[in-house]
PDB file of all heavy atoms in Angstrom:
ATOM      1  N   LEU K  30       5.523   3.045   8.516  1.00 74.00           N
ATOM      2  CA  LEU K  30       4.524   3.371   9.536  1.00 74.00           C
ATOM      3  C   LEU K  30       3.116   3.212   8.997  1.00 74.00           C
ATOM      4  O   LEU K  30       2.241   2.651   9.669  1.00 74.00           O
ATOM      5  CB  LEU K  30       4.738   4.805  10.032  1.00 74.00           C
ATOM      6  CG  LEU K  30       3.730   5.299  11.081  1.00 74.00           C
ATOM      7  CD1 LEU K  30       3.849   4.464  12.343  1.00 74.00           C
ATOM      8  CD2 LEU K  30       3.958   6.775  11.387  1.00 74.00           C
ATOM      9  N   ILE K 196      -1.059  -3.100  21.911  1.00 89.00           N
ATOM     10  CA  ILE K 196       0.400  -3.026  22.070  1.00 89.00           C
ATOM     11  C   ILE K 196       1.102  -2.696  20.754  1.00 89.00           C
ATOM     12  O   ILE K 196       1.959  -1.794  20.708  1.00 89.00           O
ATOM     13  CB  ILE K 196       0.940  -4.325  22.707  1.00 89.00           C
ATOM     14  CG1 ILE K 196       0.404  -4.476  24.130  1.00 89.00           C
ATOM     15  CG2 ILE K 196       2.473  -4.335  22.697  1.00 89.00           C
ATOM     16  CD1 ILE K 196       0.784  -5.785  24.807  1.00 89.00           C
ATOM     17  N   PRO K 197       0.796  -3.404  19.649  1.00 86.00           N
ATOM     18  CA  PRO K 197       1.469  -3.062  18.387  1.00 86.00           C
ATOM     19  C   PRO K 197       1.200  -1.625  17.940  1.00 86.00           C
ATOM     20  O   PRO K 197       2.079  -0.985  17.350  1.00 86.00           O
ATOM     21  CB  PRO K 197       0.888  -4.074  17.393  1.00 86.00           C
ATOM     22  CG  PRO K 197       0.446  -5.231  18.227  1.00 86.00           C
ATOM     23  CD  PRO K 197      -0.044  -4.609  19.496  1.00 86.00           C
ATOM     24  N   PHE K 198      -0.010  -1.109  18.223  1.00 84.00           N
ATOM     25  CA  PHE K 198      -0.295   0.275  17.853  1.00 84.00           C
ATOM     26  C   PHE K 198       0.575   1.252  18.645  1.00 84.00           C
ATOM     27  O   PHE K 198       1.040   2.265  18.119  1.00 84.00           O
ATOM     28  CB  PHE K 198      -1.776   0.589  18.087  1.00 84.00           C
ATOM     29  CG  PHE K 198      -2.683   0.066  17.012  1.00 84.00           C
ATOM     30  CD1 PHE K 198      -3.306  -1.169  17.152  1.00 84.00           C
ATOM     31  CD2 PHE K 198      -2.912   0.795  15.859  1.00 84.00           C
ATOM     32  CE1 PHE K 198      -4.149  -1.662  16.165  1.00 84.00           C
ATOM     33  CE2 PHE K 198      -3.754   0.320  14.868  1.00 84.00           C
ATOM     34  CZ  PHE K 198      -4.376  -0.912  15.023  1.00 84.00           C
ATOM     35  N   PHE K 199       0.793   0.946  19.931  1.00 87.00           N
ATOM     36  CA  PHE K 199       1.673   1.790  20.732  1.00 87.00           C
ATOM     37  C   PHE K 199       3.120   1.700  20.230  1.00 87.00           C
ATOM     38  O   PHE K 199       3.857   2.695  20.273  1.00 87.00           O
ATOM     39  CB  PHE K 199       1.602   1.393  22.212  1.00 87.00           C
ATOM     40  CG  PHE K 199       0.372   1.889  22.911  1.00 87.00           C
ATOM     41  CD1 PHE K 199      -0.537   1.004  23.470  1.00 87.00           C
ATOM     42  CD2 PHE K 199       0.104   3.246  22.996  1.00 87.00           C
ATOM     43  CE1 PHE K 199      -1.684   1.449  24.098  1.00 87.00           C
ATOM     44  CE2 PHE K 199      -1.043   3.708  23.630  1.00 87.00           C
ATOM     45  CZ  PHE K 199      -1.934   2.806  24.186  1.00 87.00           C
ATOM     46  N   VAL K 200       3.513   0.525  19.766  1.00 86.00           N
ATOM     47  CA  VAL K 200       4.845   0.381  19.171  1.00 86.00           C
ATOM     48  C   VAL K 200       4.969   1.309  17.965  1.00 86.00           C
ATOM     49  O   VAL K 200       5.994   1.971  17.770  1.00 86.00           O
ATOM     50  CB  VAL K 200       5.106  -1.084  18.760  1.00 86.00           C
ATOM     51  CG1 VAL K 200       6.395  -1.193  17.949  1.00 86.00           C
ATOM     52  CG2 VAL K 200       5.196  -1.979  19.992  1.00 86.00           C
ATOM     53  N   GLY K 201       3.898   1.367  17.142  1.00 82.00           N
ATOM     54  CA  GLY K 201       3.898   2.283  16.005  1.00 82.00           C
ATOM     55  C   GLY K 201       4.068   3.726  16.429  1.00 82.00           C
ATOM     56  O   GLY K 201       4.789   4.503  15.791  1.00 82.00           O
ATOM     57  N   CYS K 202       3.429   4.096  17.546  1.00 84.00           N
ATOM     58  CA  CYS K 202       3.575   5.467  18.060  1.00 84.00           C
ATOM     59  C   CYS K 202       5.009   5.743  18.505  1.00 84.00           C
ATOM     60  O   CYS K 202       5.535   6.847  18.292  1.00 84.00           O
ATOM     61  CB  CYS K 202       2.623   5.699  19.225  1.00 84.00           C
ATOM     62  SG  CYS K 202       0.869   5.635  18.799  1.00 84.00           S
ATOM     63  N   LEU K 203       5.641   4.753  19.097  1.00 84.00           N
ATOM     64  CA  LEU K 203       6.988   4.933  19.630  1.00 84.00           C
ATOM     65  C   LEU K 203       8.045   5.100  18.548  1.00 84.00           C
ATOM     66  O   LEU K 203       9.087   5.731  18.791  1.00 84.00           O
ATOM     67  CB  LEU K 203       7.357   3.744  20.528  1.00 84.00           C
ATOM     68  CG  LEU K 203       6.578   3.624  21.842  1.00 84.00           C
ATOM     69  CD1 LEU K 203       6.943   2.332  22.570  1.00 84.00           C
ATOM     70  CD2 LEU K 203       6.857   4.828  22.744  1.00 84.00           C
ATOM     71  N   ILE K 204       7.807   4.543  17.346  1.00 81.00           N
ATOM     72  CA  ILE K 204       8.822   4.651  16.297  1.00 81.00           C
ATOM     73  C   ILE K 204       8.669   5.928  15.469  1.00 81.00           C
ATOM     74  O   ILE K 204       9.519   6.229  14.635  1.00 81.00           O
ATOM     75  CB  ILE K 204       8.797   3.434  15.347  1.00 81.00           C
ATOM     76  CG1 ILE K 204       7.474   3.370  14.570  1.00 81.00           C
ATOM     77  CG2 ILE K 204       9.072   2.150  16.105  1.00 81.00           C
ATOM     78  CD1 ILE K 204       7.450   2.260  13.543  1.00 81.00           C
ATOM     79  N   VAL K 205       7.598   6.688  15.716  1.00 80.00           N
ATOM     80  CA  VAL K 205       7.372   7.923  14.954  1.00 80.00           C
ATOM     81  C   VAL K 205       8.549   8.898  15.067  1.00 80.00           C
ATOM     82  O   VAL K 205       9.012   9.431  14.044  1.00 80.00           O
ATOM     83  CB  VAL K 205       6.056   8.601  15.386  1.00 80.00           C
ATOM     84  CG1 VAL K 205       5.976  10.027  14.832  1.00 80.00           C
ATOM     85  CG2 VAL K 205       4.866   7.795  14.912  1.00 80.00           C
ATOM     86  N   PRO K 206       9.084   9.184  16.279  1.00 83.00           N
ATOM     87  CA  PRO K 206      10.201  10.140  16.363  1.00 83.00           C
ATOM     88  C   PRO K 206      11.410   9.705  15.533  1.00 83.00           C
ATOM     89  O   PRO K 206      12.061  10.548  14.901  1.00 83.00           O
ATOM     90  CB  PRO K 206      10.540  10.150  17.865  1.00 83.00           C
ATOM     91  CG  PRO K 206       9.265   9.753  18.528  1.00 83.00           C
ATOM     92  CD  PRO K 206       8.638   8.758  17.621  1.00 83.00           C
ATOM     93  N   PHE K 207      11.693   8.416  15.502  1.00 80.00           N
ATOM     94  CA  PHE K 207      12.824   7.909  14.720  1.00 80.00           C
ATOM     95  C   PHE K 207      12.608   8.171  13.231  1.00 80.00           C
ATOM     96  O   PHE K 207      13.519   8.593  12.507  1.00 80.00           O
ATOM     97  CB  PHE K 207      13.004   6.415  14.984  1.00 80.00           C
ATOM     98  CG  PHE K 207      14.040   5.761  14.111  1.00 80.00           C
ATOM     99  CD1 PHE K 207      15.390   6.042  14.277  1.00 80.00           C
ATOM    100  CD2 PHE K 207      13.665   4.869  13.126  1.00 80.00           C
ATOM    101  CE1 PHE K 207      16.348   5.452  13.462  1.00 80.00           C
ATOM    102  CE2 PHE K 207      14.608   4.258  12.310  1.00 80.00           C
ATOM    103  CZ  PHE K 207      15.962   4.558  12.485  1.00 80.00           C
ATOM    104  N   ILE K 208      11.379   7.958  12.760  1.00 78.00           N
ATOM    105  CA  ILE K 208      11.089   8.177  11.342  1.00 78.00           C
ATOM    106  C   ILE K 208      11.167   9.662  11.003  1.00 78.00           C
ATOM    107  O   ILE K 208      11.607  10.045   9.912  1.00 78.00           O
ATOM    108  CB  ILE K 208       9.705   7.594  10.985  1.00 78.00           C
ATOM    109  CG1 ILE K 208       9.696   6.076  11.216  1.00 78.00           C
ATOM    110  CG2 ILE K 208       9.348   7.886   9.533  1.00 78.00           C
ATOM    111  CD1 ILE K 208       8.356   5.431  10.965  1.00 78.00           C
TER     112      ILE K 208
END
Side-chain angles (χ1 to χ4, degrees):
L30 178 63
I196 295 175
F198 281 94
F199 283 119
V200 171
C202 295
L203 292 174
I204 65 175
V205 167
F207 173 70
I208 298 177

